[in-house]
Amino acid sequence: MQKTMLARHSRSTHKRFAFFFLFTFPLLTLFLLPFAINPAQNSNPKPDPNPRPPRLAYLISGGDARRLRRLLRALYHPLNFYLIQFGADTSENERVDLEGFLRTDKLVRKYRNVRVVERECRASESGATEVACLLHAVAILLRKFQGWSWFINLDVSDYPLMPQDDILHIFSYLPRELNFIDHTSNIGSKEHERVKPIIVDPALYISNKSGVFRVTEKRSLPSAFKIFVGSPRMVLSRTFLEFCIRGWDNLPRTLLLYYSNFIHSKESYFHTLICNSNHFQNTTINHDLRFMLGIKPQHQLFNAMVENGAPFAHGFNKEDPELDRIDNELLGVSELDRQSNLGFGLPGLIRPTSRSRKMERLLLRLLEPENFRTKQCK
């Protein structure tokens, strides 16, 4: 019957219907997810076949201003918001050059959606100051930009694997309260390596100091909450981050005090907080939406990245040749584009490519019963 109906339409109408069916109809499964999280929310859900695209808030951090600019160029879309956080190793000349570029770029001036953290992040690697820098960035995004739905933290070793239109299109069908965070309570050897040791992060109180040092005493596992660990790369909802900053109970502040002496606290603070909160623990998807470089031989790497379906990859080196290939084959960015202003786009007009289906398939796998509920805060 469907073929008979389509046969009556003109060729142009057929193409429009095929485009709608290809990119919209399969995603209705994802749009039903709010009712899986909270079945009482609506007894008769009516999914919107054309939901409004969300707005994403990106934190882009690192010390190399050229790599920061390239990453911003690859990520830019007028709908989104961007916060650049320089590292302590960024030179003054590099900072001035990047800020000058942002002041003169036509799209940034028009949409006013890129800001720079005034002071560089002086964080000790593996210390609590990493969490402090991240929370500082979140607070700025909450204060300066309105209407975004998800926060995504990237550094200069990360890179997108698909255009922003693809990512925005897929996220359009997801409930806004979802949090993508790789986590586990099976800490194994980390109990003796990270949980029981006590460290001091001098960057908390000395401006030109970095690195951490351990004290000889050990501490037992906490009994007031359960420890979770995982990837420091996350996609977190605005509602959860508002809870982190403005928490309506004392859990965020309690955990901050505990994690001030925890090694690699960035790999545990948010994970422990979300899984010990009754309000948010059922909003987690146990995945960070990153493809990790190094898990495949070099000759298989590019195809593995493409087929994986993750929107981002982590682990690129400064002059990684794969970046040019990603620009050319996946993002449609030429060498000339990389040297010029940020790419143009029309806010509100989302034009996904067929590659968005790979991200759709990844999410559908993550939402299968054996992967979704059974892996939440376990």
Side-chain angles (χ1 to χ4, degrees):
M1 181 177 180
Q2 184 182 20
K3 290 183 178 179
T4 303
M5 177 186 69
L6 293 178
R8 298 194 189 105
H9 289 71
S10 65
R11 181 175 299 178
S12 61
T13 303
H14 180 278
K15 289 181 178 179
R16 288 197 297 270
F17 180 86
F19 184 86
F20 174 85
F21 186 86
L22 175 66
F23 288 110
T24 305
F25 184 74
L27 295 172
L28 296 182
T29 305
L30 299 183
F31 199 76
L32 290 172
L33 192 59
F35 311 100
I37 294 175
N38 182 10
Q41 184 174 342
N42 193 330
S43 59
N44 184 28
K46 294 182 180 180
D48 183 355
N50 296 292
R52 290 178 60 83
R55 309 186 79 173
L56 307 177
Y58 284 97
L59 170 63
I60 304 174
S61 59
D64 188 328
R66 291 185 63 185
R67 296 180 73 184
L68 287 171
R69 177 171 170 171
R70 178 171 188 167
L71 181 54
L72 175 63
R73 175 65 182 79
L75 292 168
Y76 189 81
H77 192 285
L79 272 180
N80 295 334
F81 301 109
Y82 303 88
L83 183 66
I84 296 175
Q85 191 173 58
F86 291 110
D89 54 340
T90 308
S91 71
E92 184 63 24
N93 287 339
E94 286 182 308
R95 182 183 178 113
V96 169
D97 181 64
L98 182 55
E99 289 178 339
F101 163 73
L102 295 176
R103 282 194 299 271
T104 58
D105 184 85
K106 294 179 180 179
L107 284 182
V108 174
R109 291 173 60 188
K110 180 176 181 179
Y111 296 109
R112 305 176 64 86
N113 61 342
V114 183
R115 297 186 70 94
V116 176
V117 180
E118 291 184 4
R119 294 187 178 183
E120 69 274 12
C121 175
R122 292 189 174 273
S124 296
E125 184 177 357
S126 74
T129 40
E130 289 186 319
V131 173
C133 288
L134 194 54
L135 289 173
H136 180 210
V138 169
I140 293 173
L141 287 166
L142 288 172
R143 181 181 177 85
K144 298 297 184 181
F145 298 123
Q146 302 298 317
W148 55 268
S149 300
W150 279 284
F151 165 85
I152 303 173
N153 63 316
L154 302 174
D155 62 37
V156 292
S157 63
D158 297 308
Y159 213 69
L161 298 178
M162 57 185 65
Q164 288 300 295
D165 277 0
D166 287 359
I167 299 173
L168 290 168
H169 171 70
I170 297 298
F171 270 97
S172 297
Y173 293 87
L174 294 175
R176 303 301 198 251
E177 65 265 29
L178 281 183
N179 293 279
F180 295 86
I181 180 168
D182 170 76
H183 61 279
T184 180
S185 63
N186 183 18
I187 57 179
S189 62
K190 291 183 174 67
E191 176 181 333
H192 300 284
E193 298 170 359
R194 299 188 185 183
V195 181
K196 291 187 174 181
I198 301 174
I199 67 163
V200 176
D201 184 350
L204 288 170
Y205 55 90
I206 301 177
S207 60
N208 61 347
K209 189 73 173 177
S210 62
V212 300
F213 59 87
R214 298 171 182 253
V215 300
T216 57
E217 290 80 5
K218 303 286 185 179
R219 58 183 173 184
S220 59
L221 289 173
S223 59
F225 48 86
K226 188 175 183 179
I227 295 289
F228 288 80
V229 297
S231 167
R233 292 162 287 278
M234 302 161 281
V235 179
L236 300 177
S237 68
R238 183 186 180 104
T239 52
F240 173 64
L241 291 172
E242 287 175 338
F243 173 69
C244 294
I245 301 296
R246 307 163 182 164
W248 45 87
D249 66 33
N250 211 31
L251 184 60
R253 289 168 287 276
T254 299
L255 291 182
L256 271 180
L257 293 174
Y258 176 81
Y259 277 96
S260 63
N261 302 117
F262 190 100
I263 193 166
H264 294 295
S265 56
K266 189 177 178 181
E267 299 177 10
S268 186
Y269 171 72
F270 294 99
H271 316 67
T272 299
L273 176 55
I274 200 168
C275 283
N276 282 272
S277 167
N278 292 332
H279 188 80
F280 291 103
Q281 60 187 203
N282 290 332
T283 67
T284 59
I285 292 182
N286 203 340
H287 199 283
D288 61 5
L289 297 185
R290 268 62 162 196
F291 175 87
M292 301 299 294
L293 274 66
I295 63 175
K296 290 285 185 181
Q298 186 64 32
H299 67 281
Q300 300 177 0
L301 181 58
F302 188 80
N303 287 338
M305 286 191 296
V306 172
E307 295 302 321
N308 178 265
F312 309 101
H314 173 77
F316 291 104
N317 298 319
K318 183 175 182 180
E319 302 296 338
D320 201 311
E322 296 291 350
L323 294 176
D324 290 343
R325 190 174 179 187
I326 291 171
D327 280 347
N328 294 330
E329 298 185 27
L330 302 183
L331 304 182
V333 178
S334 67
E335 177 64 27
L336 180 62
D337 291 333
R338 288 196 293 271
Q339 303 302 323
S340 63
N341 288 353
L342 299 179
F344 287 84
L346 297 175
L349 178 60
I350 304 299
R351 292 176 288 189
T353 70
S354 60
R355 289 190 295 272
S356 65
R357 295 295 299 274
K358 298 183 186 300
M359 184 178 173
E360 177 194 343
R361 287 194 289 268
L362 170 63
L363 291 177
L364 289 174
R365 288 197 302 270
L366 294 174
L367 296 174
E368 290 174 353
E370 62 269 25
N371 293 326
F372 183 40
R373 288 296 186 198
T374 59
K375 295 184 179 180
Q376 282 185 320
C377 295
K378 304 296 185 184

